[in-house]
């Protein structure tokens, strides 16, 4: 068996962070092997090709990757402009994967990671053994790959969080899959456009993706003529109340495009294209006699029927193929325990995350790292430049250059929509009725209206206070 130092470092995922890790490894003379489950590099990014990033090109190109690309004749796009996901994939990720050549394998799904000859229980001589990575290929073949270290940059895109207010899928949510999506719809696509035009759509979530969906549905309503435009409506489902930070940093945001996104969502509701239901935690999804969906709250409240539901409540890591790896994860965020306090969305937004590197990302399994969005577990405060700094530090540590690995340098923009500060999912007392200490009652709120709330006839306020 080869010694670990002769083996490649396996990188799981050919997204922005995974490819950056491969670039850093290459720059240090270490052979990477990038395993990507999708059919192409950046497969997850391509799934949201229509969405524009709120970061500029200058913030989403890794320095080591740019150095690797330079001999190929690659030209960096205008650093002050904002790419779409499609731009990012086609103009940066794919060229980077091409530059890495056969060190990137697509259609290769990692199904398990362990130590060679050692399951999770065995201590004896554990750290001297290479990692063993089981891979399933698109053609049905299975492969066993040995590695000196493993960097898991597989992200969280394949495991979106559900609509259910308790973290579990709402009752009936899976059965309603034909009318529920967990992605921002591409309303430029005629088939997708037809799905939402002239219909009532519930948007569940309170982050940048929800803002994007609300703004898109408003644009669809504005662009449609006649009844279709008038009937295109959004219902924004929030688990908390409306506060001054609901729409993010606005004009004060150090990422102007991120602030503009929040302002576009606010315009959608102010202009009457969307209403908000606040303090609503979904317990069940039912169908009415016409096949439309009825969202039922944990307090028994039933909302008016909708034709479609867009669930944008965040993502969570898939840890199923890491059952034989000794991980030390925070019990709430499913992030590395040393990192979790730095990214806790109850306390931090994107800009208040302290720069971090290999020490915060380490686990009892020496040589194994979670990086990128996956390292954040369930926290929504991740930025691409954070992932690039993570892999720079991690690769330096793998190379034995601890001085470089510990020299973590990163300045992040402050404010913004990704997470907020304070009690992340708590009611805002300034917006609860009558000063009650309970969460705001589910209510339909036309945010642009001068009055505080308009409650539909089938949404009679529930009684009681300080109950749940």
């Amino acid at each position: 068996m080869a010694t670990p130092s002769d083996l490649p470092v396996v990188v799981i995922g050919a997204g922005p962070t995974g490819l950056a890790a491969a670039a850093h490894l290459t720059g240090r003379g270490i052979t990477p092997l990038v395993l990507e489950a999708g059919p192409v590099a950046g497969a997850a990014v391509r799934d949201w090709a229509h969405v524009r990033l709120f970061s500029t090109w200058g913030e989403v190109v890794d320095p080591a990757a740019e150095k690797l690309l330079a001999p190929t004749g690659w030209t960096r796009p205008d650093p002050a402009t904002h790419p779409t996901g499609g731009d990012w994939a086609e103009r940066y990720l794919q060229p980077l994967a091409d530059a890495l050549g056969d060190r990137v394998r697509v259609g290769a799904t990692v199904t398990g990671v362990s130590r060679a000859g050692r399951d999770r229980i065995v201590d004896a001589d554990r750290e001297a053994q290479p990692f063993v990575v089981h891979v399933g290929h698109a053609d049905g073949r299975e492969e066993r790959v040995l590695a000196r270290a493993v960097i898991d940059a597989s992200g969280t895109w394949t495991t979106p969080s559900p609509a259910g207010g308790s973290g579990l899928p709402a009752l009936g949510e899976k059965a309603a899959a034909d009318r529920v999506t967990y992605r921002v719809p591409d309303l430029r696509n005629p088939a997708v456009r037809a799905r939402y035009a002239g219909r009532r759509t519930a948007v569940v979530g309170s982050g940048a993706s929800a803002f994007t969906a609300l703004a898109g549905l408003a644009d669809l309503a504005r662009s449609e003529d006649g009844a279709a435009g008038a009937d295109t409506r959004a219902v924004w489902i929030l688990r908390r109340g409306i506060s001054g930070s609901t729409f993010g940093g606005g004009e004060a945001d150090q990422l102007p495009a991120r602030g503009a996104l929040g302002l576009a969502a606010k315009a959608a509701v102010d202009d009457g294209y969307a209403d908000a239901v606040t303090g609503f935690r979904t317990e069940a999804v039912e169908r009415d006699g016409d096949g439309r969906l009825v969202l039922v709250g944990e307090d028994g409240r039933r909302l008016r029927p909708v034709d479609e539901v867009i669930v944008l409540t965040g993502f969570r890591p898939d840890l199923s193929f890491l059952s034989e790896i000794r991980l030390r994860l925070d019990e709430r965020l499913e992030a590395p325990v040393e990192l979790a306090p730095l990214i806790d969305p109850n306390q931090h937004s994107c800009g208040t995350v302290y720069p971090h590197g290999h020490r915060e990302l380490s686990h009892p399994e020496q040589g194994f790292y979670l990086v990128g969005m996956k390292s954040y577990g369930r926290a929504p405060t991740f930025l691409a430049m954070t992932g690039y700094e993570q892999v720079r530090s991690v690769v330096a540590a793998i190379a034995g250059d601890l001085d470089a690995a510990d020299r973590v340098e990163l300045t992040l923009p402050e404010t913004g929509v990704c997470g907020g500060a304070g009690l992340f999912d708590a009611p805002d007392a300034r917006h609860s009725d009558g000063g009650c200490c309970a969460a705001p009652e589910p209510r339909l709120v036309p945010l642009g209206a001068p009055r505080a709330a308009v409650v539909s006839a089938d949404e009679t306020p529930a009684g009681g206070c300080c109950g749940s």
Side-chain angles (χ1 to χ4, degrees), residues 11-12 43 66 71 81 106 127-128 133 173 176 250 271 281 296 310 312 327 343 346 379 383 385 426 439 449:
V11 179
I12 306 174
E66 186 170 10
T81 60
V106 299
E127 291 184 0
V133 181
E173 182 174 343
D271 293 345
R281 289 172 170 78
V296 182
I310 302 173
L312 301 168
L327 301 177
I343 62 173
N346 292 291
L383 289 174
M385 61 185 80

Side-chain angles (χ1 to χ4, degrees), residues 384-407:
M385 61 185 80
T386 303
Y388 296 158
E389 178 62 11
Q390 285 181 340
V391 295
R392 184 204 63 77
S393 174
V394 163
V395 169
I398 292 172
D401 186 355
L402 292 183
D403 287 341
D406 288 335
R407 191 173 61 249

Side-chain angles (χ1 to χ4, degrees), residues 115-136:
R115 291 279 189 178
R118 306 289 187 274
D119 63 18
R120 183 172 181 154
I121 299 174
V122 178
D123 290 332
D125 203 27
R126 186 177 187 87
E127 291 184 0
Q129 305 306 312
F131 288 92
V132 58
V133 181
H134 282 203
V135 185

Side-chain angles (χ1 to χ4, degrees), residues 64-74 99:
E66 186 170 10
K67 184 177 180 179
L68 186 64
L69 283 165
T72 70
W74 181 81

Side-chain angles (χ1 to χ4, degrees), residues 2 13 15 20 41-42 53 66 80 97 107 142 149 158 172 184 206 213 225 232 244 248 272 277 284 309 400 422 448:
L53 280 71
E66 186 170 10
E142 291 185 301
T158 60
V184 176
S206 60
D225 295 326
T232 302
V277 178
V309 179

Side-chain angles (χ1 to χ4, degrees), residues 169-443:
L171 300 179
E173 182 174 343
K174 293 179 180 178
D178 60 318
R179 290 177 178 258
V180 179
T181 184
Y182 300 86
R183 307 286 188 259
V184 176
D186 182 1
L187 296 175
R188 301 171 307 174
N189 182 310
V192 176
R193 189 180 187 88
R195 176 174 176 174
Y196 295 97
R199 291 174 170 81
R200 181 176 168 87
T201 300
V203 177
V204 185
S206 60
S209 295
F211 291 174
T212 303
L214 289 168
L217 290 169
D219 286 342
L220 176 61
R222 294 186 187 103
S223 65
E224 292 293 320
D225 295 326
D231 292 341
T232 302
R233 299 285 298 177
V235 182
W236 189 17
I237 310 296
L238 296 113
R239 295 171 180 170
R240 49 184 169 173
I242 300 293
S243 72
S245 63
T246 295
F247 294 98
E251 295 179 358
D253 201 314
Q254 289 192 21
L255 288 177
R258 183 173 62 191
L261 181 59
L263 294 176
K266 187 175 187 301
V269 291
D270 285 348
D271 293 345
Y273 294 107
D275 298 315
V277 178
T278 62
F280 190 89
R281 289 172 170 78
T282 307
E283 180 179 86
V285 179
E286 300 178 356
R287 290 187 190 265
D288 68 5
D290 297 324
R292 303 176 79 199
L293 302 183
V294 177
L295 303 185
V296 182
E298 290 182 351
D299 64 351
R301 190 70 58 87
R302 301 171 65 87
L303 301 184
R304 292 174 179 173
V306 296
D307 300 287
E308 301 286 343
V309 179
I310 302 173
V311 181
L312 301 168
T313 54
F315 296 85
R316 53 188 61 178
D318 177 9
L319 302 169
S320 61
F321 59 89
L322 303 178
S323 61
E324 296 305 315
I325 291 294
R326 296 177 177 180
L327 301 177
R328 185 184 294 125
L329 299 175
D330 179 76
E331 66 274 10
R332 297 172 304 144
L333 298 183
E334 296 182 293
V337 291
E338 298 297 329
L339 176 61
L342 308 180
I343 62 173
D344 185 350
N346 292 291
Q347 303 295 330
H348 294 284
S349 70
C350 301
T352 62
V353 172
Y354 186 81
H356 55 275
H358 75 108
R359 296 195 185 276
E360 292 84 359
L361 297 168
S362 64
H363 294 276
E365 200 75 76
Q366 186 175 336
F368 180 89
Y369 300 93
L370 299 175
V371 299
M373 188 66 220
K374 190 164 185 177
S375 72
Y376 272 45
R378 300 191 183 202
T381 48
F382 181 77
L383 289 174
M385 61 185 80
T386 303
Y388 296 158
E389 178 62 11
Q390 285 181 340
V391 295
R392 184 204 63 77
S393 174
V394 163
V395 169
I398 292 172
D401 186 355
L402 292 183
D403 287 341
D406 288 335
R407 191 173 61 249
V408 181
E409 299 174 358
L410 180 64
T411 301
L412 293 172
E414 297 177 356
T415 76
V417 299
C418 47
L423 298 175
F424 181 65
D425 199 31
D428 187 331
R430 293 170 299 172
H431 294 82
S432 61
D433 292 335
C436 183
C437 64
E441 293 175 350
R443 53 181 181 165

Side-chain angles (χ1 to χ4, degrees), residues 1 3 34 111 216 274 282 415 432:
M1 180 180 294
T3 61
V34 184
T111 58
T282 307
T415 76
S432 61

